[in-house]
Each structure stands twice: as structure tokens, then as C-alpha cells.
Amino acid sequence: MERTLPSPAGYGGPEGPGGFPPRGHPPPPNWQGQPGFAVHAPPPGPNQYASLYAAASDVLGMGPPPGAPASGGYPPSQYGHSPPPPPGQMPPQQYYANGGPGPSPVSSSQSVPFLGPGAYSSSGTPSIYAGSSQTSLPRSDAASIQSDDDIEFRNRPSLQRSGTVMSVSPRTQKTKAIDLSAPPYTKQYIDQYRMRIKDDPDPEAHFLYAKYLIEAAKRFGADSKDQRGVKKYRDALIAESLKVIRRLATQGQAYDEAQFFLANCHGTGMLGLQVDHERAYHLYLQAAKQNHAAACYRVAVCNELGAGTRKEPQRALAFYRKSASLGDTAAMYKLGVILLRGLLGEQPNARDAVGWLRRAAEQADVDNPHALHELGMIYENPKNGVVPYDPAYAKEMYTRAGHLGYTHSQYKLGQCYEYGSLTCPVDPRRSIAWYTKAAEKGHSEAELALSGWYLTGSEGVLKQSDSEAYLWARRAANKGVSKAEYAVGYYAEVGIGIKQDVEFAKRWYMRAAAQGNRRAMNRLTEMKRSGNKRANMARPTRQDAKDELIVDSLTAMEESEKSLLEHLDLSQLTCLNEEGDNSLKSILSSRSRNTGSSYLLSDVDEQLLLNITFNQTVRIRSIAIQTSNVAQAPRKIKLITNRHTLGFDDIEDGSIAQEFELSEDQVRDGKRIQLRYVRFQAVTSLHIFVESNQGNEDQTRVDAVDIYGFPVAGTRDLSGLKKVEDD
């Protein structure tokens, strides 16, 4: 299935066999040494983009600006809300036996995006420890897999009343109540917990105790002056925790959660253990034999990548199926993608694939939103061949994933509200809000989109700022996005947000051209031919600059751009100064289009005004005008949109959406003329003013007119819809 979504990242990096990179592939440099988590450049300070928050906070319920303290005052633990990194790629500041806390990871919804249009991914580094919804790993706050009040209740010794011959009088001494939702991390409490758990036969209780020790090692003695003594005590807690976990994982009736946790430790080097992929795989396999869903998923990924074992695609597929059948969300999603694209030697089965994706979407959460986005891509493609085209349902899927923090869906929603697609109205406020959410997490396409919004501004929503436009484009360009590199070059060449510097612009154009960016190549050629003449030209308008920078990231539906003549309202077609039977209706009616026997001819002079009305709102990308008699063919054209009535006297420069001159080749062959796409996003009527013809003849002739674009799904008779930009 063809898709052209914006550079989706995935479970893997530069793809090797099976969609993952070769084993041992180094992480991208912008991950700051922490593979497994896509740690992007830090977001701007809270005072830097206050206008964005003012525009977005009341629309999407956005959180505090970047840099604001998180609630609770303590970052999430290493494995609390995110999967650990891949084996052999241990972050430099993880949690070692010395008790030092590691860095706060990014949510897995950012670090493990959807598998995308490729085999599995198109960027990032794979993590066999990522994407499982059934993890049993420690959390830094009270919202652990088992709450701390459960720990306290389960481990409180029972009162043995049998054989009691003496009465028990209540205590008269008042004791301070313990907040069971946040257990203390003191020596006294740890010693009490140790005594309570000593004779408890429940392996789950011991496992929870071990996880508590790990958390205690992170929090104990933070304010103590004797940090040397604190470090020693923390090391002892970690050692005790590992001892408990090893015993649970290797005893006669091994506890699967302990096996899974210990496997993670060996695979990542957590808690000071040496990285040992084979040991990790063995432990995952032992837990999988006990039907541990997340362990089955990890075994599958290990077999697919060859991590700790040899590559066995069929075995990997079998464990993906087992994990999915046990209810693991990540496995359901992965199996859906495998069946959708025919991976791992499996024949494509789109129907079963959609079924698994739907099951994964039903239990999507912040760690596993990927199936929602994948379903959105399927339902928005009218040629998917699997399910009925349903743009409203696609929007719903993207919205759910966006609210779960999935950056690709957030960017997609920003596009929908900017251009009015997938039943979304054109709404600058919501567009900017969704772009902001994605850009704050480092989504490069969203950063470039925000650059465009800052370039033009939006009245009442976002104040125009050249400097912000340049800075957002530069952030995206620093990540190697060729369109952003071209944008930075353009900004530097014409002096937008940065001092005009042609040599600096050339360097960015060359970087973009090295990635195959044709616009950058053409610009370098033009600069060479003109001797940098453009550098001395007048500064372009804001809208001209945005039009210059827009390089469309089309969806699969947009790739199938088609003629819009089937959406004409023939009863509303008119043409001023047409001659008798040689009318506009004669060339646009379906019968005339099929025979090609009719043509449009002007009457008293060479000018024509074609008023073309659509039966629903459309987006126009290009038009084509063809004439057999080149001397009478149109030359100078002006386009106007969304006017109920229009006469020759009503044509003003302020109302013109675009004007251009046609060449003889273009009108002879009927070649498409690309329009400034942002100016034709919500069109109910198109007015084509022919000002002159090629040979300065008394009459102008048009044999055929065609208009290409897309109907705006879910809209009808929206002539009052506000235009995308102010003229």
C-alpha cells in the first residue's frame, strides 16, 4: 500500500534486512548517547514561545511551557513509563550499582513511533526492549504496576488470634499515619519491610520488595551531607535487590516477572550488570515458556534481529503471534504490520492485518499509540483495497493518537487543520496547536510547519515573526531535513530572520541538493547563471516567501490527484464575453469532453472571464488550458477564488489569488500549470480571467480546460469558509 507520510520514524534505524538496521548499527548522533529513546534537542524556554501557548492552551488542553516543573517534583524512573534501550547500547548515565539515577527517558510514544510505510521503519534504532505493553518494570512514582499501598497491605504480618489467652489493650501512644501512596525511603522503613517480607512465601511480594529497594536506592539520602555513606548504602540496596531477583528467576518454580526483569538488566546493563545478550535471550525465553506476553514479544524481536541468538524469521513470527494472542499491544500492532506488508516470509493478508491493528488500537495507551496512526493511514487512502475510504474515521484515529502524545499524528492533525482535510475545517488555531505539540518533542516536519506559520502569522492567533520563522526552520535543518535546509538557504538569501548572506545561503542549498532536493539544485544553478543577482532584489512578501518554501508532503490520497471536472455544478457555469454556441458549457459538459468537437471563443475582444462553480469544496493543485490555434490561445491569466458574482469591473489586484503567463508549448500540449497550493485550499468557485492571447488576436480560443486537485471530504456548500490566508 502506497503511503507518503512525512518521514515516519519507527522501531528501527537505517533499515537493514527485515526493516531493522544491521546488528550493532550505531545510534543517530542527535540521540545524545542514549539509544532506545529519541532524545531530541531541548525545547525552547517558556518565555520564548509564549504566543504559541496562548494560542494553543485553550484549544487542546496543553500542559505547561517547556521547562516548567513536572508535577510530583521527580522524573520518571528508568523503566517506569518507557521501554529500555537496545542491548549493547547502554546510555552513559544509566542507573548503576552505585545508586546513581539515570536520565529521564522520553515516552515510548516518541521513541518507538509507528512502523511507517517501509518494512518496519525509516529512522531510529531498534530496541528489543521497546514497545511491549506488558512490562513489569519499576516506576519512580506511586503509580507502579502494584501500588505501594498494595505492597504495604500484602506484607503486613497478620494478627494470629488462635491460642491467645490474654486480652490485647489498644495503644495509648499516638503514632503518625503513614501515607501508603508514597512509602518512605528511610532505613527504618526499609528494615521493617525486610522483616515483614522475610517469611512471606509469595514470590510476587518478594519481587515487589526488590523493586522497592531499587527505588529506595534512587531516593535515599538525597539531602544527606554524608554522600559517601549514602552511596555505600545505595550499593547495598541494589546488591540486595539483585540477589532477590536472581533467586526468584532461578528457583525451582521460577517467577516469570523476575526472569523478564533480570533479562532486561542483562540486555541493557542496568543495575551495573554486564551486558550479556545471550543471557538476556535465555531469560526471555524461560519467561515466554510461562506465557509471559511481553517476554514472548522480546523473544520474537531477538529472533528477528539476531540479538543473543541467530536470526530466525519464522520463529520470530511464531512468537509475535503468541505474544499477540496473549494480549500484548505492541505485538498485536507488529503482527498487523507484518501481515499488512508481507514481512518475515509471510504472505500479505490485509484483512487479518486490519483485525490485529484494530485490537491493538482498542487498548492503545501512551506507550503504544502506533496502531491508531496506522489505521488512520489505511482509512484515509481511498485506494487501500481493504476497508472503505473513511476520512472521518481516519481523523478520529489520528486524534486519539495525538492526545496520547504521538508526534506523527499530532503533525498530521496540524496539516489537516491547516489545509482543511479529513473532514477538518480550516482552523489556524488548532493547526498551530497541534504543530506546537509535535515540534516541542522534536518532530522536524512540525518544526518546519511552524516556521511557515511564523513567517505569515495568523491574525488573533499567532504574531508574525521573521526571527522565529528562521529559528524553527534552522532546528529542522539541523536534523538533516532537506526541505528545511532549503528553507534556511532561502531565508539567508533574501534576509528573513537573519542577515542577508548569499554565501551562507549557498552552503545550505548545497546541503539540501546533496540529498536530492531539486529546488535547491535549481536555485544553485540559477544563482550561478545570474551571478547572485537575486540577492539584490527587493524582499519578497511574507506570503510569497511561504509559497516559495512550501514543498508538499502528500498523503497517498494526494498522490492520486485527479480531475475535478466531475465535481462541477454545470448549472452555475458562466463565461463573460463568450460567442454564441462556442460557450464554456460546451467544452465542460461530459459529452463535449469526450468528443473534443467544441471550443470556447471570445466575442467582441480577446478577453474572457470563466466562472466555474463546484458542487462541493475542493483543493486545487494545478490547471491545464489547451488550444489548437496557438495564435488565439490564452497568454496572460489571472485566477480568483470564491466570489459569488464577478464581472470584468470587479477584477482587482487585491482579489487575485495568482497570475501567470502561459507559453505556446503549455497551451499547445495542455500542460499542467502548478498553482500556489496554499491559496487554493478551500475553493467553491474558480474564476479564470484571460487578459490577452498569444498572437494579440481579436478573439481568444480555448479548446479544453481541466482542473486538478482533490475534493475536501465531508464538506459541501462551504462557500463561506474563511480563506486560508489573507490576501
Side-chain angles (χ1 to χ4, degrees):
M1 187 184 306
E2 292 293 329
R3 295 182 179 84
T4 56
L5 258 85
S7 302
Y11 280 88
E15 295 184 11
F20 286 98
R23 185 177 179 185
H25 191 283
N30 66 313
W31 283 17
Q32 302 176 355
Q34 184 169 336
F37 302 109
V39 180
H40 302 288
N47 298 325
Q48 200 167 354
Y49 302 105
S51 56
L52 277 176
Y53 283 91
S57 60
D58 60 342
V59 179
L60 302 177
M62 298 173 63
S71 60
Y74 199 83
S77 65
Q78 178 58 38
Y79 299 114
H81 302 280
S82 302
Q89 298 183 11
M90 184 62 188
Q93 295 182 0
Q94 286 285 9
Y95 188 88
Y96 291 94
N98 63 5
S104 301
V106 179
S107 169
S108 64
S109 63
Q110 304 157 43
S111 62
V112 190
F114 72 103
L115 298 183
Y120 281 122
S121 64
S122 57
S123 66
T125 300
S127 174
I128 68 170
Y129 308 101
S132 176
S133 62
Q134 304 295 325
T135 55
S136 299
L137 306 179
R139 297 182 184 269
S140 62
D141 52 18
S144 180
I145 296 172
Q146 298 290 334
S147 64
D148 289 305
D149 37 348
D150 288 339
I151 297 174
E152 173 68 17
F153 178 82
R154 182 178 294 107
N155 298 306
R156 185 180 296 125
S158 60
L159 179 61
Q160 302 294 332
R161 295 190 178 277
S162 59
T164 302
V165 296
M166 59 181 296
S167 62
V168 180
S169 59
R171 297 180 184 179
T172 56
Q173 181 181 1
K174 292 184 179 181
T175 58
K176 184 178 180 181
I178 297 177
D179 181 6
L180 298 182
S181 64
Y185 298 99
T186 63
K187 285 186 178 181
Q188 181 182 5
Y189 188 84
I190 293 171
D191 292 340
Q192 292 174 354
Y193 198 165
R194 185 182 295 113
M195 293 301 297
R196 289 198 306 267
I197 201 68
K198 193 172 183 180
D199 298 324
D200 195 324
D202 184 5
E204 181 182 5
H206 286 265
F207 182 62
L208 292 172
Y209 168 66
K211 292 198 297 182
Y212 166 80
L213 291 179
I214 295 173
E215 191 64 28
K218 290 182 64 177
R219 301 198 182 197
F220 178 80
D223 299 329
S224 176
K225 295 181 180 180
D226 182 15
Q227 287 301 311
R228 180 176 297 181
V230 167
K231 178 181 177 300
K232 185 176 180 180
Y233 187 67
R234 286 177 170 178
D235 291 346
L237 293 178
I238 292 297
E240 183 182 357
S241 176
L242 279 172
K243 182 179 179 181
V244 173
I245 293 172
R246 282 197 180 101
R247 174 173 53 80
L248 293 172
T250 58
Q251 63 188 5
Q253 293 182 339
Y255 184 52
D256 57 352
E257 294 285 357
Q259 290 173 327
F260 182 77
F261 183 86
L262 189 58
N264 286 332
C265 293
H266 282 293
T268 64
M270 188 178 72
L271 303 184
L273 292 182
Q274 185 175 359
V275 173
D276 187 339
H277 305 320
E278 293 183 5
R279 177 63 178 162
Y281 176 74
H282 174 74
L283 287 165
Y284 283 136
L285 189 59
Q286 294 304 309
K289 289 179 179 178
Q290 299 188 60
N291 292 332
H292 190 287
C296 291
Y297 177 84
R298 302 288 176 85
V299 170
V301 181
C302 286
N303 278 284
E304 184 178 358
L305 295 177
T309 185
R310 64 178 181 272
K311 288 186 178 182
E312 294 184 83
Q314 289 302 312
R315 184 176 172 86
L317 179 60
F319 274 98
Y320 280 134
R321 287 188 181 277
K322 181 177 181 180
S323 180
S325 65
L326 290 171
D328 185 88
T329 308
M332 291 177 184
Y333 163 65
K334 188 73 168 285
L335 182 58
V337 174
I338 291 171
L339 294 173
L340 188 66
R341 299 180 184 132
L343 307 173
L344 299 182
E346 186 76 357
Q347 291 298 317
N349 188 332
R351 190 170 300 277
D352 286 352
V354 171
W356 282 112
L357 290 172
R358 282 175 176 158
R359 290 180 63 180
E362 287 173 359
Q363 56 192 56
D365 54 26
V366 292
D367 292 331
N368 296 279
H370 320 98
L372 294 168
H373 191 97
E374 189 76 25
L375 283 174
M377 290 196 297
I378 293 174
Y379 275 93
E380 78 162 307
N381 181 6
K383 295 184 177 181
N384 64 76
V386 185
V387 296
Y389 169 62
D390 192 340
Y393 185 73
K395 174 200 170 187
E396 179 187 345
M397 294 296 99
Y398 289 134
T399 303
R400 284 181 58 193
H403 282 296
L404 288 172
Y406 195 48
T407 57
H408 297 289
S409 293
Q410 292 170 342
Y411 168 71
K412 179 68 178 179
L413 290 167
Q415 284 186 314
C416 291
Y417 283 109
E418 181 175 7
Y419 300 125
S421 59
L422 297 185
T423 75
C424 296
V426 174
D427 189 334
R429 184 179 298 275
R430 281 185 168 85
S431 174
I432 293 169
W434 282 116
Y435 280 146
T436 300
K437 276 181 165 285
E440 285 171 349
K441 298 174 184 175
H443 193 287
S444 56
E445 295 283 349
E447 291 170 344
L448 184 58
L450 274 183
S451 173
W453 273 116
Y454 269 113
L455 188 64
T456 59
S458 179
E459 185 177 356
V461 180
L462 187 69
K463 185 178 179 181
Q464 192 277 338
S465 172
D466 286 352
S467 60
E468 295 291 354
Y470 171 78
L471 290 174
W472 280 109
R474 182 64 183 269
R475 286 182 63 177
N478 289 340
K479 295 170 184 168
V481 179
S482 66
K483 292 183 293 185
E485 291 171 342
Y486 174 83
V488 171
Y490 180 84
Y491 286 155
E493 182 183 1
V494 300
I496 297 177
I498 185 177
K499 184 178 180 181
Q500 191 177 42
D501 188 334
V502 176
E503 292 303 318
F504 183 73
K506 281 184 178 180
R507 290 199 296 272
W508 282 102
Y509 283 145
M510 286 188 284
R511 290 179 63 172
Q515 297 194 59
N517 188 295
R518 293 189 177 275
R519 304 185 76 183
M521 295 177 188
N522 294 338
R523 187 67 210 119
L524 287 170
T525 302
E526 292 172 8
M527 293 175 74
K528 185 176 181 180
R529 289 176 180 174
S530 63
N532 302 328
K533 182 179 179 180
R534 184 174 178 178
N536 297 320
M537 293 177 61
R539 185 187 188 281
T541 66
R542 296 170 185 168
Q543 190 60 53
D544 287 341
K546 185 170 184 178
D547 293 343
E548 171 71 16
L549 295 176
I550 286 185
V551 180
D552 302 315
S553 299
L554 302 178
T555 61
M557 181 183 69
E558 290 174 325
E559 281 193 323
S560 59
E561 135 184 337
K562 61 180 181 179
S563 171
L564 294 174
L565 297 186
E566 63 181 278
H567 299 288
L568 296 182
D569 185 350
L570 296 177
S571 65
Q572 299 294 321
L573 294 180
T574 62
C575 181
L576 302 186
N577 195 38
E578 62 182 12
E579 181 191 66
D581 295 333
N582 298 315
S583 64
L584 177 62
K585 287 185 179 180
S586 69
I587 65 172
L588 291 182
S589 65
S590 58
R591 180 180 301 176
S592 299
R593 295 202 303 268
N594 292 334
T595 62
S597 58
S598 302
Y599 59 90
L600 168 65
L601 191 67
S602 66
D603 190 6
V604 298
D605 57 25
E606 76 280 10
Q607 293 187 344
L608 287 167
L609 181 56
L610 289 67
N611 297 306
I612 301 173
T613 303
F614 300 94
N615 58 20
Q616 72 175 93
T617 304
V618 298
R619 290 178 290 169
I620 303 175
R621 290 185 51 78
S622 60
I623 65 171
I625 299 176
Q626 191 269 332
T627 305
S628 56
N629 186 344
V630 175
Q632 291 183 305
R635 181 174 66 88
K636 191 170 184 180
I637 301 292
K638 294 181 179 180
L639 301 180
I640 302 170
T641 61
N642 299 343
R643 298 286 290 271
H644 294 294
T645 58
L646 189 67
F648 287 110
D649 295 335
D650 299 321
I651 299 173
E652 303 173 356
D653 291 341
S655 64
I656 296 172
Q658 187 172 345
E659 59 181 303
F660 50 84
E661 291 190 7
L662 298 170
S663 67
E664 292 185 0
D665 290 340
Q666 288 173 325
V667 289
R668 182 188 298 112
D669 301 329
K671 294 181 179 179
R672 295 189 189 185
I673 310 301
Q674 296 297 321
L675 304 184
R676 291 177 174 175
Y677 193 36
V678 292
R679 299 191 177 188
F680 300 89
Q681 290 297 303
V683 180
T684 55
S685 62
L686 178 67
H687 312 274
I688 305 175
F689 174 52
V690 181
E691 188 171 355
S692 61
N693 55 43
Q694 299 288 335
N696 295 320
E697 299 287 329
D698 292 336
Q699 290 182 297
T700 297
R701 171 170 169 159
V702 177
D703 291 356
V705 174
D706 210 342
I707 304 168
Y708 298 91
F710 324 95
V712 178
T715 61
R716 195 171 183 83
D717 190 22
L718 297 180
S719 57
L721 189 65
K722 185 179 179 181
K723 295 174 64 177
V724 173
E725 87 289 332
D726 296 325
D727 291 327

